[in-house]
Amino acid sequence: LLCLSVNVIILVLLAVAFLIIVQRNLLNLSDFLHTEKPDEGVILPFESELSPDLNSVRTGEEIPVLITAAEDRLGAVVAAMNSVYRNSKANVVFTIVTLNETVTHLKAWLSNTRLNRVKYKIVIFKPELLNGKISKDPHTPEAAKPLTFARFYLPAYIPEAEKAIYLDDDVIVQGDIQELYETNLKPGHAAAFSDDCDSASAKGIVRGAGNQNNYIGFLDFKKEAIKKLGMRATTCSFNPGVFIANLTEWKNQNISQQLEHWMELNTQEDLYAKTLAESVTTPPLLIVFYKRHSSIDPMWHVRHLGAGSRYSSQFVKAAKLLHWNGHYKPWGRGSSFTDVWDKWFIPDPTGKFHPVRRHTGDS
Ligand SMILES: *[C@@H]1O[C@H](CO)[C@@H](O)[C@H](O)[C@H]1NC(C)=O
Ligand SMILES: *[C@@H]1O[C@H](CO)[C@@H](O)[C@H](O)[C@H]1NC(C)=O
Ligand SMILES: *[C@@H]1O[C@H](CO)[C@@H](O)[C@H](O)[C@H]1NC(C)=O
């Protein structure tokens, strides 16, 4: 008898609960039907919960970031931008330099994904700019990748800024970009780079990489034009894949014109080291910024992830910025730490770009 009455009580409670739920839903439904005006574009509550910053447009000091977008690696620029944006609350404004034929694809990717709140402007790069300054042979890396020279013209692309950041597309930012932006530039310095012999990145240098951490790895010191500069061949080089620039100094010192001068001279006198592979933008920068640049915190430019570096996963986790310079890119085959990159990648809504990934079942 006791059992029975307990059961009855439970049943009654359930029935009451059921009625309450039904009634609330009916009320909600009638509320909803009452307020819904389709032509006013009602935003349903669950949608605004999914995007909590729906109405928060970032304000405050702008942090200008220049990045390039090459058609065959658009996935890279998207992942890099996403990592910068998600790890900072700062008012980041990207300037994306690209070729005319890439604009439509790039815009589709930025506006049809969760990147649609990111502030950016797209600037078209004119390859004619490089006429007479790079080799005409289309098989050379420089001719194949004109966008890589966009960094030489930073003040032309961001004329209103006093200070700006340049990022290669094969990076992932894990720290707050504001911190990098606040890197102190010494008076008279137009840029800050990170040296190739600093302790953090030296860990990642792979045996057999040769002299690619000093000037002699990039410039031919037997050439008269280089000798005349009186630079020490063993000076530590720097990696121009990440830098902060004082654009006032850049303009005052005519840095862009100086860089063009060395590019032109190289086409006539072949001044770069023979061993130089991908880093065609490095030699002129090494000359122009010889002993005239500030430094970046080494954790803000952890390099060689694309060169088989053997960093521990704890070290990679602690890094503020990861750079896959080297042959193996995180969207391609054989790269290390692709899982880190995958976290920031956003699939291409047009379906053209696919990271190369081993599918489960393959071996
Ligand atoms: C840029 O591309 C658009 C279409 O993608 C084309 O109509 C236009 O002529 C191109 N402009 C130049 C300068 O090539
Ligand atoms: C940039 O350089 C100019 C000229 O030397 C200097 O007045 C200014 O304070 C510098 N700005 C920054 C942000 O370092
Ligand atoms: C930069 O160029 C301008 C005009 O071409 C020239 O007047 C000025 O002296 C140059 N400055 C430097 C530091 O080379």
Side-chain angles (χ1 to χ4, degrees), residues 19 26 33 90 104 145 163 173-174 176-177 224 226 233 308 330:
L19 283 175
L26 281 175
L33 289 174
T104 315
K145 293 190 203 161
K163 197 177 184 186
V173 171
Q174 305 189 124
D176 184 339
I177 194 89
E224 204 50 43
I226 300 298

Side-chain angles (χ1 to χ4, degrees), residues 147-185:
L147 286 170
T148 190
F149 296 98
R151 73 191 87 183
F152 288 7
Y153 303 96
L154 208 55
Y157 292 126
I158 316 180
E160 66 287 358
E162 156 96 357
K163 197 177 184 186
I165 296 174
Y166 168 82
L167 295 179
D168 269 356
D169 59 357
D170 51 355
V171 305
I172 288 295
V173 171
Q174 305 189 124
D176 184 339
I177 194 89
Q178 177 99 38
E179 217 179 291
L180 181 63
Y181 186 69
E182 283 164 9
T183 298
N184 199 35
L185 300 196

Side-chain angles (χ1 to χ4, degrees), residues 162-163 185 188 246 248-249 252:
E162 156 96 357
K163 197 177 184 186
L185 300 196
N246 179 332
T248 308
E249 279 293 343
N252 287 348

Side-chain angles (χ1 to χ4, degrees), residues 46-329:
F46 56 85
E47 278 182 348
S48 57
E49 272 163 32
L50 275 181
S51 31
D53 59 345
L54 205 59
N55 300 307
S56 75
V57 171
R58 295 183 184 187
T59 54
E61 190 193 0
E62 284 188 1
I63 298 190
V65 176
L66 188 98
I67 194 160
T68 62
E71 178 67 38
D72 57 333
R73 11 204 295 174
L74 272 193
V77 67
V78 162
M81 285 174 66
N82 191 33
S83 73
V84 169
Y85 187 75
R86 299 284 154 203
N87 286 311
S88 178
K89 290 192 164 60
N91 189 10
V92 184
V93 182
F94 292 94
T95 297
I96 312 170
V97 184
T98 193
L99 299 175
N100 186 44
E101 58 264 33
T102 304
V103 174
T104 315
H105 188 187
L106 178 63
K107 275 190 181 161
W109 210 328
L110 296 177
S111 55
N112 297 331
T113 64
R114 67 198 127 98
L115 285 174
N116 63 4
R117 305 187 167 276
V118 176
K119 290 186 193 167
Y120 66 86
K121 60 177 187 203
I122 295 177
V123 184
I124 313 277
F125 184 80
K126 301 258 179 353
E128 308 84 70
L129 190 68
L130 300 174
N131 288 350
K133 302 183 189 83
I134 58 171
S135 157
K136 284 198 198 73
D137 180 354
H139 301 295
T140 59
E142 58 204 76
K145 293 190 203 161
L147 286 170
T148 190
F149 296 98
R151 73 191 87 183
F152 288 7
Y153 303 96
L154 208 55
Y157 292 126
I158 316 180
E160 66 287 358
E162 156 96 357
K163 197 177 184 186
I165 296 174
Y166 168 82
L167 295 179
D168 269 356
D169 59 357
D170 51 355
V171 305
I172 288 295
V173 171
Q174 305 189 124
D176 184 339
I177 194 89
Q178 177 99 38
E179 217 179 291
L180 181 63
Y181 186 69
E182 283 164 9
T183 298
N184 199 35
L185 300 196
K186 298 204 181 86
H189 285 178
F193 301 91
S194 59
D195 283 338
D196 284 329
C197 344
D198 68 41
S199 55
S201 277
K203 280 192 215 169
I205 289 183
V206 185
R207 242 184 313 228
N211 290 318
Q212 294 276 334
N213 67 349
N214 57 33
Y215 271 51
I216 203 165
F218 295 88
L219 292 161
D220 185 348
F221 276 77
K222 291 201 263 328
K223 296 286 158 70
E224 204 50 43
I226 300 298
K227 271 196 215 160
K228 274 204 308 219
L229 294 170
M231 304 185 299
R232 278 183 51 199
T234 54
T235 308
C236 187
S237 55
F238 55 79
N239 183 305
V242 174
F243 62 86
I244 300 104
N246 179 332
L247 302 183
T248 308
E249 279 293 343
W250 193 290
K251 284 179 267 191
N252 287 348
Q253 297 179 35
N254 297 337
I255 300 285
S256 301
Q257 292 89 324
Q258 289 192 53
L259 292 167
E260 286 185 328
H261 165 74
W262 288 105
M263 289 166 78
E264 279 165 21
L265 207 59
N266 177 61
T267 62
Q268 295 151 23
E269 302 180 9
D270 215 4
L271 304 175
Y272 305 167
K274 302 287 165 290
T275 49
L276 196 67
E278 272 191 83
S279 42
V280 282
T281 58
T282 309
L285 286 162
L286 290 181
I287 296 173
V288 171
F289 286 98
Y290 179 72
K291 295 204 189 276
R292 295 195 78 175
H293 66 271
S294 300
S295 305
I296 294 176
D297 173 350
M299 289 308 273
W300 266 103
H301 192 175
V302 170
R303 276 147 284 170
H304 314 302
L305 272 83
S309 58
R310 285 182 218 99
Y311 296 122
S312 71
S313 53
Q314 294 95 303
F315 180 74
V316 165
K317 205 169 169 195
K320 308 284 183 124
L321 183 151
L322 299 166
H323 187 186
W324 277 264
N325 61 311
H327 181 68
Y328 299 101
K329 300 303 180 190

Side-chain angles (χ1 to χ4, degrees), residues 5-43:
S5 66
V6 168
N7 279 345
V8 166
I9 290 167
I10 288 172
L11 271 177
V12 167
L13 285 175
L14 279 176
V16 168
F18 177 74
L19 283 175
I20 289 172
I21 289 167
V22 166
Q23 194 210 13
R24 283 189 53 175
N25 277 353
L26 281 175
L27 278 177
N28 279 348
L29 187 63
S30 67
D31 258 339
F32 176 67
L33 289 174
H34 189 68
T35 53
E36 189 191 37
K37 296 185 185 94
D39 47 349
E40 280 179 18
V42 173
I43 294 166

